[in-house]
Amino acid sequence: MALLNDAMAVPRFPLSVHANLPLSRRTLLREGAATVAAPWLVLAAGCTTAPEGRRASEAPAPLGPRRAIALAQADHALVNRVAWGASASTATDFNRLGRATWLHAQLHPQLQPRLPAEAQAQIDAMAISSTPFEALVGDMDALRRESDAKAKEASDNAAKQAAQQAYQQALSKVAREAASRSLLRALYAPNQLQEQLTWFWFNHFNVHQYKSNLRVMVGDYEDRALRPRALGKFRDLLIASATHPAMIRYLDNEQNGAGRINENYAREVMELHTLGVEGGYSQKDVQELARVLTGLGVNLTDKTPNLRPELRALYVRQGFTEFNPGRHDMGEKVVLGRSVAGRGWNEVLDELTRLAAQPNTARFVSRKLAAFFAADAPPPALVDRMATAFTRSDGEIAATLAAMFESPEFPATLGHKFKDPMHYVVSALRLAYDDRPIRNTGPMLGWLTRLGEAPYNRQTPDGYPSDESAWASPGQMAARFEIARAIGTGSAGLFRAEGESADAPAFPRLASAFYYESIEPTLSSATRDALDRATSAQEWNVFLLSSPEFMLR
């Protein structure tokens, strides 16, 4: 807790200190377009660890008054970890509120914060914002039936494909809107921790957009099932995921019925969502949990099944999620050594609640959170503290994360976690343009696709990894340099709405007071030398955004 509360009276991020300092080379003040040099040698070689001359366990050498600089760097590293990336406006909020209040606001956010007006207007104009989820899915299902009928009547393969194209394009448009909304929130929402956790939980409870009609469901799954509960009770997240049609359809539980057991969801809910692969369950437990989950399915129609009179009171319908007692195994089950009576819908909810409360779940979820927010191999003592907080708070995520932030092990992890593609792209734009809203998320989606981490596109149920080994290849580094060049030179087209003609690119001014106070002290001598050799402001931007230090958070 010392890092988080140390010397609260010392100024944080004093942005005015270096506001008028000149750049190290006058050429950096020139504004004309310039040819960007070949990729920086260190980056092209695939350097992704701590900068030269600094071991991962060491802090950068302080400059000036040691205490003030060390505190400023610690604050910058904390904001860089809690947010999707530090920016000048986030630093201003941090200064205004102070460390403790800012962290509390991130852990207990407003549920519906407003984004900058232009970014919010983009979200408000989306069909997913103006059309209720049920109506959107219904419209898509009607379009599917129409496309199927046309394809059936078509005389050749080309005509069949053309008949299906409208439906596929409509699905893709909805999913693209959802991805754009998610990126705009990551860039500009004041609830930065909540937005990071929304991404984390989507990967924890992953679904793949290209299965069946999930492209029309992923936005609602993210926005209504996961996002509002991201910092709440884990059991609420688990139940919201389990009972959303996207998860039911993705892991085939709509095919799970009495006498025809499908174990897909039951297996993943134990292995990936709660207990973990070493969580002490058996194959028999998977089979018994699958029996508990029978009858939980999806119904996109307005019809209800024909049920025997004694079962009608057990029927449950929530939107497109349906519990059909006629397909439920009402026999007694034994899950994790405890007898479970056949009771229908409440039986499902009770077993999910029991799984969420297991000690192995507390440890598995805590370790995964620590691996995402702290280190690929988090210290066991840190995981222990988080698991204890998880259990004591009845699975509250905010309390679990507070224990992580307050632990003595956490500060040593700051500035050493390698950025996955999503963190790299979002943090680069937050640093480059701060709260100036982009008008086109297309380049971001293209970059994330190229880097292998496009939203909603992980095919397997384990979700995207967050560890360095998954993302630190030479090819990944070369692609990141090209993205840094597009951002640093202003050539990405981020401020040109789709369909508009090209304007002269406007490159960001990264050599700012915020850079000098918060970023420059963390750079190695090799990185500073490279920046000194830049021949233009654009090239300087590219070198900073592709530096080894910027790959870390």
Side-chain angles (χ1 to χ4, degrees), residues 258-307:
R260 294 186 59 186
I261 300 296
N262 187 302
E263 301 174 7
N264 284 2
Y265 177 62
R267 179 177 296 104
E268 304 304 353
V269 79
M270 285 185 157
E271 178 179 330
L272 296 177
H273 300 170
T274 58
L275 302 171
V277 68
E278 298 178 355
Y281 63 91
S282 66
Q283 173 59 22
K284 182 64 174 177
D285 288 319
V286 172
Q287 293 169 344
E288 294 292 274
L289 180 61
R291 291 178 60 206
V292 170
L293 296 169
T294 52
L296 179 61
V298 177
N299 185 348
L300 300 185
T301 74
D302 57 0
K303 300 177 181 178
T304 58
N306 290 323
L307 297 169

Side-chain angles (χ1 to χ4, degrees), residues 99-148:
R99 185 187 287 119
T101 302
W102 184 83
L103 266 179
H104 184 272
Q106 291 296 317
L107 288 165
H108 305 281
Q110 298 178 13
L111 290 181
Q112 295 296 333
R114 295 291 293 182
L115 276 60
E118 189 173 345
Q120 188 65 50
Q122 292 180 54
I123 293 175
D124 293 343
M126 295 175 180
I128 57 173
S129 298
S130 58
T131 307
F133 173 61
E134 289 74 15
L136 198 60
V137 174
D139 291 345
M140 289 296 161
D141 204 47
L143 183 58
R144 176 190 60 80
R145 292 192 298 270
E146 180 183 338
S147 298
D148 287 347

